[in-house]
Amino acid sequence: MILHDRISDILPSWRTRVNRLVNEYRDFKVCDVTVSQIYQGIRGVQIQVADISYVDPYEGIRLRGYTIPEVLEKLPRMDGCEFPMAGGLYYLLMTDEMPDFDKAMQVEDEWKKHAELPDHVISMIHSMPRTTHPMTLFSQGILALQTESEFTRRYNDGLTKADYWIPTLDDSIRLTAKLPSLAAFIYNWKYRDGAMIMPDPNLDWSANFAYMVENPNNHEYEELCRLFFLLHSDHEGANVSAHTAHLVNSALSDIYLTSSAAMNGLAGPLHGLANQECLRWLLKVYNSFDALPSKEEMAMFARKELQSGRVIPGYGHAVLRTTDPRFTAQYEFARKYLPEDELYQLVCRVYEVLPDVLKETGKVKNPYPNVDAINGTLQYHYGVREFDFYTVLFGVSRIMGITAHSVWARALNKPIERPKSLTTAMLEERVAGKPDTIEVEL
Ligand SMILES: CC(C)(COP(=O)(O)OP(=O)(O)OC[C@H]1O[C@@H](n2cnc3c(N)ncnc32)[C@H](O)[C@@H]1OP(=O)(O)O)[C@@H](O)C(=O)NCCC(=O)NCCS
């Protein structure tokens, strides 16, 4: 398989680089941690090395070194398609190399072989109450697929450490192959008549989701899916879902256990659930005016929201200090495909006004839109109006990044993650200049 071959070729030089850092620079200091960082979510502390992507505060995400516009320009696409195939992106994330058309197609073809859901996953979801949150069903579905884990089977048979990454990669391909089918099945079962639609072998991975949920505006929605699944695939190694995945994977839990755990983090309102809040807020603005608000009306509305202590969803970011390029890419999509959409026009108006209003507060570090400021608007336009499903779409994409991180963590033999905690009393003694009464055990 193409990903095995390529990773086998490049792995020796990666192992040499990592071993050199660990052995020759053992005591080199990267970061000192302050009390406020300990108490405030370890914010800004560089705690791991993750090569799949990096969020530059002023440029946004770089996937394997490529900015979003570069990724969209350089990845191969099928004839007649505006946006690239996810198979090419997966090749890039896994191998650190921009694929040609043939390589991207080989990943897509491998996915097609494994796209079908096993019966027990379908019956497990059927046994759940229909009111279950779609992220719970998605996480459960991934966990139920764990019965197929090659890593677990081969580990139990005595797999050698240097080869851990190989069945981890096999599991990753098989899991990611099924994600559009799993998401579409959950969508159809929860919100429609429950029809089980099989993927179309003539379509690429992203477009197949659009096909399986039978979107009435299929061609445009296929393009949106291609774009959406590319944009959300990774956002560095230390956000909640990526870090959860890293931690769970470090215990040699297989890719199914790892990805399900990551999805439970993504399901939190401070992480992946934020996109539904943004659309809710936009609809609130929309319903507060008879027509598109003027700039002055919009600014007054936003100031009132801020004065009543609310945050403006879709604006601000913990790391970014500029407009999120993932917002810009979808903004351009909307300008081309749905310029007359009233919610999109409202997104534009908010974008014209909000940064200056947020700057007036003097405290918002990034007054610009993040990806969630537009995500929901596009899904809403194409009839996917079940807000609680949006995080599942995010998850389908994000597992590409999560599995790429996991394969490389196994390939480079990253050990179990085990930082150290200390007690409040110990910290009080340290800040008072007293030596620790308990010896730190490493
Ligand atoms: C994303 C977010 C959580 C980042 O938080 P952060 O790193 O603490 O952001 P900042 O350092 O800029 O926050 C400084 C202050 O500005 C406020 N602030 C930041 N973004 C704001 C926004 N969009 N609206 C109103 N106030 C905001 C913070 O609440 C904080 O106020 P406080 O000091 O009174 O607690 C924050 O910007 C936010 O809540 N945004 C809206 C929700 C959202 O879009 N989430 C999706 C993120 S991808």
Side-chain angles (χ1 to χ4, degrees), residues 316-332:
H317 200 272
V319 178
L320 280 174
R321 294 294 175 257
T322 188
T323 296
D324 189 334
R326 300 170 303 167
F327 169 88
T328 309
Q330 293 189 95
Y331 191 72
E332 295 300 325

Side-chain angles (χ1 to χ4, degrees), residues 43 270-271 274-275 278 306 310-319 321 326 354 358 361 363-366 370-372:
R43 191 65 77 90
L270 295 185
H271 191 16
N275 52 16
C278 295
L306 293 171
R310 298 193 193 98
V311 296
I312 311 286
Y315 280 73
H317 200 272
V319 178
R321 294 294 175 257
R326 300 170 303 167
L354 238 287
L358 287 174
T361 67
K363 63 175 184 179
V364 179
K365 294 197 190 71
N366 179 39
N370 59 58
V371 69
D372 289 329

Side-chain angles (χ1 to χ4, degrees), residues 111-112 114-117 176-189 192-201 203-216 218 221-222 225 229 384 389 396:
W111 273 339
K112 279 173 196 166
H114 304 288
E116 218 174 297
L117 296 175
T176 47
K178 292 177 177 57
L179 295 176
S181 310
L182 178 61
F185 169 62
I186 291 170
Y187 186 82
N188 290 335
W189 179 71
R192 301 259 186 87
D193 61 1
M196 181 76 214
I197 300 164
M198 302 307 284
D200 177 347
L203 289 173
D204 55 300
W205 184 88
S206 305
N208 247 313
F209 174 78
Y211 169 77
M212 286 185 277
V213 295
E214 296 185 308
N215 196 284
N218 232 11
Y221 192 59
E222 281 173 13
C225 287
F229 292 144
V384 181
F389 190 73
V396 167

